[in-house]
Amino acid sequence: MKPREVRTLTKVHLEEREADRKPLSLALIRRLFTFTRPHARTRNTLLVMVFLRAIQLPVTAWVIGTIMGGPISHLDTRGLWLGVLGYAAMAAFTQFTMYYRIKFALQLGEQVVHDLRNLLFHHLQKMPMSFFHKTKVGRIISRFTSDSDAMRAGIQDVLFITLVQGGQMLIAGGFMLYYNWLLFLVIIGMAPVIHALNRYFSTRLSAAYRSSQESFSRITATLAESVQGIRVTQGFSREKLNADMFAELLNDHARYNLRAGRTAGMYFPLLELNSQIFVGLVLLIGGWQVFTGRSDVASLYQFLMMTALFFGPIQGIANQYNQALTAMAGAERVFQLLDTPPEWTDPVDARELPSVNGRVEFRNVTFGYDPATPVLHDITFAAEPGRTIALVGHTGSGKTSIINLIAKFYLPTRGEVLIDGHDIRTLSTEGLHRHMGIVLQQNFLFTGTVMENIRIGRLGATDAEVFAAADALDCRDLVEALPEGFQTKMGERGAGISLGQRQLICFTRAMLADPAILILDEATSAVDTLTEARIQKALARLLRNRTSFVVAHRLSTIR
């Protein structure tokens, strides 16, 4: 399929559109409903409510017709009161069933989406850095939000509402066949018209809703990029330009929604018109049968009531069909993410080293984020335990790539990276990271308190151990100077405290972890000269007896 041109906040590029698929896929539906298995009790109770609800409206209509054709026609007062009491009991039971059908449907939908989002999140935690390097944040967020919500609607609404309305049609059709088989055959003969309408519009609606979801995914991705880069946007006075580009994306999304709306706007009135034509035919043919004595008014009235129940659900089923298309598109994307395997995983017999001395060796390592374009070529070196290795070079020379390989965020394209003589491919990634501490130039702090962020280095650490780590770095007084000290709450990415304070917190986190291998990537670049001077001695203690890799552009950091 031809790539499509897409405008973003920075440039125009070509984006490959996902291939169109069938509007409804039994494989997707079957897989979607496997998520209801852990909640079989709720699902089965809901199915009972659906069955009861499907038969209640036709039976209620039959009761009304029976009262009209019986007690009322024969002026039977006692029969009328009994009939009304029976009808009242049926109506009350109908409302009871409807309440619990809706309740259990909402409950099942929430349970499924809860499990699905949990599964998605756990899957993302297993993905290597290369996946996040290639995938836009907005697209990932869309899998958790709009796509998951579409699947929720598919579970709690589409199937069970369709079963209720489809069952209502079947039962009403059975009554119609009983009352007047000839009129019923006339209606059945018109069924191919509805089938042709569904077939014609389904493909167009499927393409329209798929395009709408893809355009919305681009909006969320661009919005995330814009918020994260707001300082650059304002710093270079790009507000108006970015707003204009974002407006183009909104206009693009609106065009897809309007196209879907126009298609649906033609589809539903045509269905309604067909229903009205059918009712007209029933009146014409049924009236002729009454005139000729082949039927009676009571039977024709019963048939007309069942006709309303037979055609009434068509509009609702059509609406659910639209929702089903959206659910299928959402399910397709979510399952595509779940089915995306990590580029690499630890072997089943991966070793977890109980302790690490800290010897790091590169043997003929070649690496590229794109294997066709290496950034490291045949690198060989060894770092002995306790040594500090300085990585100095111009931007793009591969310094960060080296520490990414040491931390096992990526695997080498060729060659070996060894920790204490063990190829990192054979080591447990989680176990290896427990022996490493990393302080990066762009450090990430989670929403929460300073204490909680420091404890990420060692989750079971006591308050006293956290204070000791801060004392060792000679920065405890700087943390306690915050409004609430170690209990100071921070916003997303450490919002609310200065950049230098954020990095000091990350230093304390690394000290608390007490790693055998320490990685500092421009770790003091955001610390002012006075603060940097205070932590030089602490850094010396932090680096002592640890294999350390220091990436820096300033000589003071290396010294």
Short mmCIF file of all heavy atoms in Angstrom, two decimals, residues 410-469:
data_model
loop_
_atom_site.label_atom_id
_atom_site.label_comp_id
_atom_site.label_asym_id
_atom_site.label_seq_id
_atom_site.Cartn_x
_atom_site.Cartn_y
_atom_site.Cartn_z
N TYR A 410 20.78 -2.90 25.49
CA TYR A 410 20.86 -3.43 24.13
C TYR A 410 21.87 -4.57 24.13
O TYR A 410 22.71 -4.68 25.04
CB TYR A 410 21.31 -2.35 23.13
CG TYR A 410 20.35 -1.20 22.95
CD1 TYR A 410 20.37 -0.10 23.81
CD2 TYR A 410 19.43 -1.19 21.90
CE1 TYR A 410 19.48 0.96 23.64
CE2 TYR A 410 18.55 -0.13 21.72
CZ TYR A 410 18.58 0.93 22.59
OH TYR A 410 17.71 1.98 22.42
N LEU A 411 21.81 -5.40 23.11
CA LEU A 411 22.81 -6.46 22.91
C LEU A 411 23.66 -6.10 21.70
O LEU A 411 23.17 -5.48 20.74
CB LEU A 411 22.12 -7.81 22.68
CG LEU A 411 21.37 -8.41 23.86
CD1 LEU A 411 20.75 -9.75 23.47
CD2 LEU A 411 22.29 -8.59 25.07
N PRO A 412 24.92 -6.48 21.72
CA PRO A 412 25.79 -6.15 20.58
C PRO A 412 25.34 -6.87 19.31
O PRO A 412 24.81 -7.99 19.36
CB PRO A 412 27.17 -6.62 21.04
CG PRO A 412 26.91 -7.63 22.10
CD PRO A 412 25.65 -7.21 22.77
N THR A 413 25.56 -6.20 18.18
CA THR A 413 25.25 -6.82 16.89
C THR A 413 26.21 -7.98 16.63
O THR A 413 25.81 -9.05 16.19
CB THR A 413 25.35 -5.79 15.76
OG1 THR A 413 24.53 -4.66 16.09
CG2 THR A 413 24.89 -6.39 14.44
N ARG A 414 27.47 -7.73 16.93
CA ARG A 414 28.51 -8.77 16.83
C ARG A 414 29.45 -8.61 18.01
O ARG A 414 29.56 -7.53 18.58
CB ARG A 414 29.28 -8.67 15.52
CG ARG A 414 28.50 -9.04 14.28
CD ARG A 414 29.42 -9.19 13.07
NE ARG A 414 30.12 -7.93 12.78
CZ ARG A 414 29.59 -6.96 12.03
NH1 ARG A 414 28.38 -7.09 11.51
NH2 ARG A 414 30.27 -5.85 11.81
N GLY A 415 30.14 -9.67 18.35
CA GLY A 415 31.09 -9.62 19.44
C GLY A 415 30.44 -9.96 20.78
O GLY A 415 29.28 -10.37 20.85
N GLU A 416 31.21 -9.76 21.85
CA GLU A 416 30.75 -10.13 23.19
C GLU A 416 31.02 -9.02 24.18
O GLU A 416 32.05 -8.32 24.10
CB GLU A 416 31.47 -11.40 23.67
CG GLU A 416 31.18 -12.65 22.87
CD GLU A 416 32.00 -13.82 23.37
OE1 GLU A 416 33.23 -13.66 23.52
OE2 GLU A 416 31.41 -14.88 23.64
N VAL A 417 30.09 -8.85 25.11
CA VAL A 417 30.30 -8.01 26.30
C VAL A 417 30.26 -8.95 27.49
O VAL A 417 29.28 -9.67 27.69
CB VAL A 417 29.20 -6.93 26.42
CG1 VAL A 417 29.41 -6.12 27.71
CG2 VAL A 417 29.21 -6.00 25.21
N LEU A 418 31.33 -8.95 28.28
CA LEU A 418 31.46 -9.90 29.38
C LEU A 418 31.50 -9.18 30.72
O LEU A 418 32.15 -8.12 30.85
CB LEU A 418 32.71 -10.76 29.23
CG LEU A 418 32.76 -11.65 27.97
CD1 LEU A 418 33.58 -10.98 26.88
CD2 LEU A 418 33.33 -13.01 28.30
N ILE A 419 30.80 -9.72 31.70
CA ILE A 419 30.85 -9.26 33.08
C ILE A 419 31.44 -10.39 33.91
O ILE A 419 30.87 -11.49 33.96
CB ILE A 419 29.44 -8.90 33.61
CG1 ILE A 419 28.76 -7.88 32.70
CG2 ILE A 419 29.54 -8.40 35.05
CD1 ILE A 419 29.42 -6.52 32.67
N ASP A 420 32.59 -10.14 34.51
CA ASP A 420 33.30 -11.17 35.28
C ASP A 420 33.49 -12.43 34.44
O ASP A 420 33.37 -13.57 34.94
CB ASP A 420 32.55 -11.51 36.56
CG ASP A 420 32.65 -10.40 37.60
OD1 ASP A 420 33.40 -9.44 37.36
OD2 ASP A 420 31.96 -10.49 38.64
N GLY A 421 33.75 -12.26 33.15
CA GLY A 421 34.00 -13.38 32.26
C GLY A 421 32.77 -14.06 31.71
O GLY A 421 32.88 -15.01 30.93
N HIS A 422 31.59 -13.58 32.04
CA HIS A 422 30.34 -14.17 31.56
C HIS A 422 29.74 -13.28 30.48
O HIS A 422 29.58 -12.06 30.70
CB HIS A 422 29.34 -14.35 32.71
CG HIS A 422 29.84 -15.17 33.85
ND1 HIS A 422 29.90 -16.55 33.80
CD2 HIS A 422 30.30 -14.82 35.07
CE1 HIS A 422 30.37 -17.01 34.94
NE2 HIS A 422 30.63 -15.98 35.74
N ASP A 423 29.41 -13.88 29.36
CA ASP A 423 28.73 -13.12 28.30
C ASP A 423 27.38 -12.63 28.85
O ASP A 423 26.61 -13.41 29.42
CB ASP A 423 28.51 -14.04 27.10
CG ASP A 423 28.02 -13.27 25.86
OD1 ASP A 423 27.40 -12.20 26.02
OD2 ASP A 423 28.25 -13.75 24.74
N ILE A 424 27.09 -11.33 28.67
CA ILE A 424 25.85 -10.79 29.24
C ILE A 424 24.62 -11.46 28.64
O ILE A 424 23.54 -11.44 29.23
CB ILE A 424 25.75 -9.26 29.05
CG1 ILE A 424 25.78 -8.89 27.56
CG2 ILE A 424 26.83 -8.54 29.82
CD1 ILE A 424 25.45 -7.43 27.32
N ARG A 425 24.76 -12.08 27.46
CA ARG A 425 23.62 -12.80 26.88
C ARG A 425 23.18 -13.96 27.76
O ARG A 425 22.03 -14.38 27.71
CB ARG A 425 23.97 -13.32 25.48
CG ARG A 425 24.20 -12.23 24.43
CD ARG A 425 24.42 -12.88 23.08
NE ARG A 425 24.58 -11.91 22.00
CZ ARG A 425 25.75 -11.39 21.64
NH1 ARG A 425 26.86 -11.77 22.29
NH2 ARG A 425 25.82 -10.52 20.65
N THR A 426 24.12 -14.51 28.55
CA THR A 426 23.82 -15.68 29.38
C THR A 426 23.41 -15.30 30.80
O THR A 426 23.10 -16.18 31.59
CB THR A 426 25.03 -16.62 29.44
OG1 THR A 426 26.11 -15.97 30.15
CG2 THR A 426 25.52 -16.98 28.05
N LEU A 427 23.41 -13.99 31.10
CA LEU A 427 23.12 -13.54 32.46
C LEU A 427 21.70 -13.01 32.56
O LEU A 427 21.15 -12.46 31.59
CB LEU A 427 24.10 -12.44 32.88
CG LEU A 427 25.58 -12.83 32.94
CD1 LEU A 427 26.42 -11.63 33.34
CD2 LEU A 427 25.80 -13.99 33.92
N SER A 428 21.11 -13.16 33.71
CA SER A 428 19.78 -12.61 33.98
C SER A 428 19.87 -11.09 33.98
O SER A 428 20.68 -10.51 34.72
CB SER A 428 19.26 -13.11 35.33
OG SER A 428 18.18 -12.32 35.78
N THR A 429 19.06 -10.46 33.16
CA THR A 429 19.08 -9.00 33.07
C THR A 429 18.70 -8.36 34.39
O THR A 429 19.36 -7.43 34.88
CB THR A 429 18.12 -8.52 31.97
OG1 THR A 429 18.50 -9.12 30.72
CG2 THR A 429 18.17 -7.01 31.83
N GLU A 430 17.64 -8.87 35.02
CA GLU A 430 17.20 -8.31 36.30
C GLU A 430 18.26 -8.48 37.37
O GLU A 430 18.53 -7.56 38.14
CB GLU A 430 15.90 -8.98 36.73
CG GLU A 430 15.31 -8.41 38.00
CD GLU A 430 13.99 -9.06 38.36
OE1 GLU A 430 13.46 -9.85 37.55
OE2 GLU A 430 13.49 -8.79 39.48
N GLY A 431 18.88 -9.67 37.40
CA GLY A 431 19.93 -9.91 38.38
C GLY A 431 21.14 -9.03 38.15
O GLY A 431 21.75 -8.53 39.10
N LEU A 432 21.50 -8.81 36.87
CA LEU A 432 22.64 -7.96 36.54
C LEU A 432 22.40 -6.53 36.98
O LEU A 432 23.29 -5.86 37.52
CB LEU A 432 22.91 -8.03 35.04
CG LEU A 432 24.10 -7.22 34.51
CD1 LEU A 432 25.41 -7.72 35.13
CD2 LEU A 432 24.16 -7.29 32.99
N HIS A 433 21.18 -6.04 36.75
CA HIS A 433 20.87 -4.64 37.10
C HIS A 433 20.91 -4.40 38.61
O HIS A 433 21.11 -3.26 39.04
CB HIS A 433 19.50 -4.26 36.55
CG HIS A 433 19.51 -4.09 35.06
ND1 HIS A 433 18.35 -4.00 34.31
CD2 HIS A 433 20.54 -3.97 34.18
CE1 HIS A 433 18.66 -3.85 33.04
NE2 HIS A 433 19.98 -3.84 32.94
N ARG A 434 20.74 -5.46 39.41
CA ARG A 434 20.82 -5.29 40.86
C ARG A 434 22.24 -4.97 41.31
O ARG A 434 22.45 -4.51 42.43
CB ARG A 434 20.30 -6.54 41.56
CG ARG A 434 18.78 -6.60 41.63
CD ARG A 434 18.33 -7.59 42.70
NE ARG A 434 18.52 -8.96 42.25
CZ ARG A 434 17.58 -9.68 41.64
NH1 ARG A 434 16.40 -9.14 41.39
NH2 ARG A 434 17.82 -10.92 41.27
N HIS A 435 23.21 -5.24 40.45
CA HIS A 435 24.61 -4.96 40.78
C HIS A 435 25.11 -3.71 40.08
O HIS A 435 26.32 -3.46 40.06
CB HIS A 435 25.49 -6.16 40.39
CG HIS A 435 25.15 -7.42 41.12
ND1 HIS A 435 25.43 -7.62 42.45
CD2 HIS A 435 24.52 -8.55 40.70
CE1 HIS A 435 25.01 -8.82 42.83
NE2 HIS A 435 24.45 -9.41 41.78
N MET A 436 24.21 -2.94 39.51
CA MET A 436 24.59 -1.74 38.77
C MET A 436 23.88 -0.51 39.31
O MET A 436 22.76 -0.59 39.80
CB MET A 436 24.25 -1.88 37.28
CG MET A 436 25.12 -2.83 36.51
SD MET A 436 24.77 -2.77 34.74
CE MET A 436 26.03 -3.89 34.13
N GLY A 437 24.58 0.63 39.22
CA GLY A 437 23.98 1.91 39.53
C GLY A 437 24.20 2.86 38.37
O GLY A 437 25.30 2.90 37.80
N ILE A 438 23.17 3.60 38.00
CA ILE A 438 23.25 4.46 36.82
C ILE A 438 22.76 5.86 37.18
O ILE A 438 21.67 6.01 37.76
CB ILE A 438 22.42 3.91 35.65
CG1 ILE A 438 22.86 2.48 35.31
CG2 ILE A 438 22.53 4.80 34.42
CD1 ILE A 438 21.99 1.80 34.26
N VAL A 439 23.57 6.86 36.86
CA VAL A 439 23.16 8.25 37.01
C VAL A 439 23.35 8.91 35.65
O VAL A 439 24.48 9.01 35.16
CB VAL A 439 23.97 8.99 38.09
CG1 VAL A 439 23.46 10.43 38.24
CG2 VAL A 439 23.88 8.26 39.42
N LEU A 440 22.26 9.33 35.05
CA LEU A 440 22.29 9.86 33.69
C LEU A 440 22.17 11.38 33.71
O LEU A 440 21.81 12.01 34.70
CB LEU A 440 21.15 9.27 32.86
CG LEU A 440 21.09 7.74 32.80
CD1 LEU A 440 19.84 7.30 32.07
CD2 LEU A 440 22.34 7.19 32.11
N GLN A 441 22.50 11.99 32.57
CA GLN A 441 22.37 13.44 32.44
C GLN A 441 20.89 13.85 32.55
O GLN A 441 20.55 14.80 33.24
CB GLN A 441 22.95 13.90 31.10
CG GLN A 441 22.85 15.40 30.89
CD GLN A 441 23.46 15.82 29.57
OE1 GLN A 441 23.89 14.99 28.78
NE2 GLN A 441 23.50 17.12 29.33
N GLN A 442 20.02 13.13 31.86
CA GLN A 442 18.58 13.39 31.92
C GLN A 442 17.96 12.35 32.85
O GLN A 442 17.48 11.32 32.41
CB GLN A 442 17.97 13.30 30.51
CG GLN A 442 18.51 14.31 29.53
CD GLN A 442 18.13 15.74 29.90
OE1 GLN A 442 17.12 15.97 30.53
NE2 GLN A 442 18.96 16.69 29.50
N ASN A 443 18.01 12.66 34.13
CA ASN A 443 17.51 11.68 35.10
C ASN A 443 16.01 11.78 35.23
O ASN A 443 15.42 12.85 35.14
CB ASN A 443 18.17 11.92 36.45
CG ASN A 443 19.54 11.26 36.53
OD1 ASN A 443 19.64 10.05 36.48
ND2 ASN A 443 20.58 12.06 36.63
N PHE A 444 15.42 10.63 35.49
CA PHE A 444 13.96 10.55 35.61
C PHE A 444 13.59 10.30 37.06
O PHE A 444 14.07 9.37 37.69
CB PHE A 444 13.42 9.42 34.74
CG PHE A 444 11.93 9.46 34.58
CD1 PHE A 444 11.34 10.06 33.50
CD2 PHE A 444 11.10 8.89 35.56
CE1 PHE A 444 9.97 10.10 33.35
CE2 PHE A 444 9.72 8.94 35.43
CZ PHE A 444 9.16 9.55 34.32
N LEU A 445 12.71 11.17 37.57
CA LEU A 445 12.15 10.98 38.90
C LEU A 445 10.65 10.75 38.76
O LEU A 445 9.98 11.43 37.98
CB LEU A 445 12.42 12.20 39.78
CG LEU A 445 13.90 12.49 40.09
CD1 LEU A 445 14.03 13.76 40.92
CD2 LEU A 445 14.55 11.32 40.82
N PHE A 446 10.15 9.81 39.54
CA PHE A 446 8.74 9.47 39.46
C PHE A 446 7.93 10.40 40.37
O PHE A 446 8.45 10.98 41.32
CB PHE A 446 8.52 8.02 39.87
CG PHE A 446 9.14 7.03 38.93
CD1 PHE A 446 10.44 6.58 39.12
CD2 PHE A 446 8.43 6.54 37.84
CE1 PHE A 446 11.01 5.67 38.25
CE2 PHE A 446 8.99 5.63 36.97
CZ PHE A 446 10.29 5.20 37.17
N THR A 447 6.66 10.50 40.06
CA THR A 447 5.76 11.25 40.92
C THR A 447 5.73 10.60 42.30
O THR A 447 5.50 9.40 42.42
CB THR A 447 4.34 11.30 40.32
OG1 THR A 447 4.40 11.90 39.04
CG2 THR A 447 3.40 12.09 41.21
N GLY A 448 5.98 11.38 43.34
CA GLY A 448 6.03 10.84 44.69
C GLY A 448 6.96 11.68 45.54
O GLY A 448 7.33 12.81 45.16
N THR A 449 7.37 11.16 46.67
CA THR A 449 8.26 11.91 47.56
C THR A 449 9.72 11.67 47.20
O THR A 449 10.06 10.72 46.48
CB THR A 449 8.03 11.50 49.03
OG1 THR A 449 8.42 10.12 49.19
CG2 THR A 449 6.57 11.66 49.42
N VAL A 450 10.58 12.53 47.76
CA VAL A 450 12.03 12.35 47.56
C VAL A 450 12.47 11.01 48.13
O VAL A 450 13.25 10.27 47.52
CB VAL A 450 12.80 13.52 48.22
CG1 VAL A 450 14.30 13.24 48.21
CG2 VAL A 450 12.49 14.84 47.52
N MET A 451 11.95 10.67 49.31
CA MET A 451 12.31 9.41 49.96
C MET A 451 11.95 8.22 49.07
O MET A 451 12.75 7.28 48.91
CB MET A 451 11.60 9.30 51.32
CG MET A 451 11.90 8.03 52.09
SD MET A 451 13.60 7.96 52.69
CE MET A 451 13.51 9.08 54.11
N GLU A 452 10.77 8.23 48.49
CA GLU A 452 10.33 7.12 47.64
C GLU A 452 11.21 7.00 46.40
O GLU A 452 11.52 5.88 45.96
CB GLU A 452 8.87 7.33 47.22
CG GLU A 452 7.88 7.16 48.36
CD GLU A 452 6.49 7.66 48.02
OE1 GLU A 452 6.35 8.41 47.02
OE2 GLU A 452 5.54 7.31 48.75
N ASN A 453 11.66 8.11 45.84
CA ASN A 453 12.51 8.07 44.66
C ASN A 453 13.91 7.56 45.00
O ASN A 453 14.52 6.85 44.19
CB ASN A 453 12.59 9.46 44.02
CG ASN A 453 11.47 9.69 43.02
OD1 ASN A 453 11.56 9.31 41.86
ND2 ASN A 453 10.39 10.29 43.50
N ILE A 454 14.42 7.91 46.17
CA ILE A 454 15.74 7.41 46.56
C ILE A 454 15.68 5.91 46.82
O ILE A 454 16.59 5.16 46.45
CB ILE A 454 16.24 8.16 47.81
CG1 ILE A 454 16.51 9.63 47.46
CG2 ILE A 454 17.52 7.51 48.35
CD1 ILE A 454 16.91 10.49 48.64
N ARG A 455 14.57 5.45 47.41
CA ARG A 455 14.43 4.03 47.74
C ARG A 455 14.35 3.14 46.50
O ARG A 455 14.42 1.92 46.62
CB ARG A 455 13.19 3.81 48.60
CG ARG A 455 13.42 4.07 50.07
CD ARG A 455 12.47 3.23 50.92
NE ARG A 455 12.69 3.49 52.33
CZ ARG A 455 11.95 4.30 53.08
NH1 ARG A 455 10.93 4.93 52.53
NH2 ARG A 455 12.22 4.48 54.36
N ILE A 456 14.16 3.69 45.32
CA ILE A 456 14.18 2.88 44.11
C ILE A 456 15.52 2.16 43.99
O ILE A 456 15.61 1.05 43.46
CB ILE A 456 13.90 3.76 42.88
CG1 ILE A 456 12.44 4.22 42.90
CG2 ILE A 456 14.18 3.00 41.58
CD1 ILE A 456 12.08 5.19 41.79
N GLY A 457 16.58 2.78 44.54
CA GLY A 457 17.90 2.14 44.51
C GLY A 457 17.93 0.85 45.31
O GLY A 457 18.65 -0.09 44.96
N ARG A 458 17.15 0.80 46.39
CA ARG A 458 17.04 -0.42 47.21
C ARG A 458 15.72 -0.33 47.96
O ARG A 458 15.61 0.40 48.95
CB ARG A 458 18.24 -0.55 48.16
CG ARG A 458 18.22 -1.80 49.01
CD ARG A 458 19.65 -2.23 49.37
NE ARG A 458 20.42 -1.16 49.94
CZ ARG A 458 20.52 -0.89 51.26
NH1 ARG A 458 19.86 -1.64 52.12
NH2 ARG A 458 21.27 0.10 51.68
N LEU A 459 14.74 -1.08 47.47
CA LEU A 459 13.37 -0.91 47.94
C LEU A 459 13.21 -1.19 49.43
O LEU A 459 12.36 -0.60 50.09
CB LEU A 459 12.42 -1.80 47.14
CG LEU A 459 12.30 -1.45 45.65
CD1 LEU A 459 11.38 -2.42 44.95
CD2 LEU A 459 11.79 -0.02 45.47
N GLY A 460 14.01 -2.06 49.98
CA GLY A 460 13.85 -2.42 51.39
C GLY A 460 14.65 -1.56 52.34
O GLY A 460 14.70 -1.84 53.55
N ALA A 461 15.26 -0.48 51.86
CA ALA A 461 16.12 0.35 52.69
C ALA A 461 15.31 1.09 53.75
O ALA A 461 14.19 1.53 53.52
CB ALA A 461 16.88 1.35 51.83
N THR A 462 15.90 1.23 54.94
CA THR A 462 15.26 1.97 56.02
C THR A 462 15.54 3.46 55.86
O THR A 462 16.41 3.87 55.06
CB THR A 462 15.79 1.50 57.38
OG1 THR A 462 17.20 1.80 57.46
CG2 THR A 462 15.59 0.00 57.56
N ASP A 463 14.82 4.28 56.63
CA ASP A 463 15.06 5.72 56.59
C ASP A 463 16.50 6.03 56.98
O ASP A 463 17.15 6.90 56.38
CB ASP A 463 14.10 6.45 57.53
CG ASP A 463 12.67 6.46 57.01
OD1 ASP A 463 12.44 5.96 55.89
OD2 ASP A 463 11.78 6.97 57.73
N ALA A 464 17.01 5.32 57.97
CA ALA A 464 18.37 5.56 58.43
C ALA A 464 19.39 5.28 57.31
O ALA A 464 20.38 6.01 57.16
CB ALA A 464 18.67 4.69 59.66
N GLU A 465 19.15 4.23 56.53
CA GLU A 465 20.07 3.91 55.43
C GLU A 465 20.00 4.96 54.34
O GLU A 465 21.03 5.29 53.72
CB GLU A 465 19.73 2.52 54.88
CG GLU A 465 20.09 1.39 55.84
CD GLU A 465 19.57 0.04 55.36
OE1 GLU A 465 18.49 0.00 54.75
OE2 GLU A 465 20.26 -0.98 55.61
N VAL A 466 18.82 5.52 54.10
CA VAL A 466 18.69 6.60 53.12
C VAL A 466 19.44 7.84 53.61
O VAL A 466 20.18 8.48 52.86
CB VAL A 466 17.20 6.93 52.87
CG1 VAL A 466 17.07 8.18 51.98
CG2 VAL A 466 16.50 5.75 52.21
N PHE A 467 19.28 8.16 54.90
CA PHE A 467 19.98 9.32 55.45
C PHE A 467 21.50 9.11 55.38
O PHE A 467 22.25 10.05 55.08
CB PHE A 467 19.56 9.54 56.91
CG PHE A 467 18.11 9.90 57.07
CD1 PHE A 467 17.42 9.54 58.22
CD2 PHE A 467 17.43 10.58 56.07
CE1 PHE A 467 16.09 9.86 58.38
CE2 PHE A 467 16.08 10.91 56.22
CZ PHE A 467 15.41 10.54 57.37
N ALA A 468 21.95 7.89 55.63
CA ALA A 468 23.38 7.59 55.59
C ALA A 468 23.93 7.77 54.17
O ALA A 468 25.05 8.28 53.99
CB ALA A 468 23.64 6.17 56.09
N ALA A 469 23.16 7.36 53.16
CA ALA A 469 23.60 7.54 51.78
C ALA A 469 23.71 9.02 51.44
O ALA A 469 24.66 9.46 50.77
CB ALA A 469 22.63 6.84 50.83
#
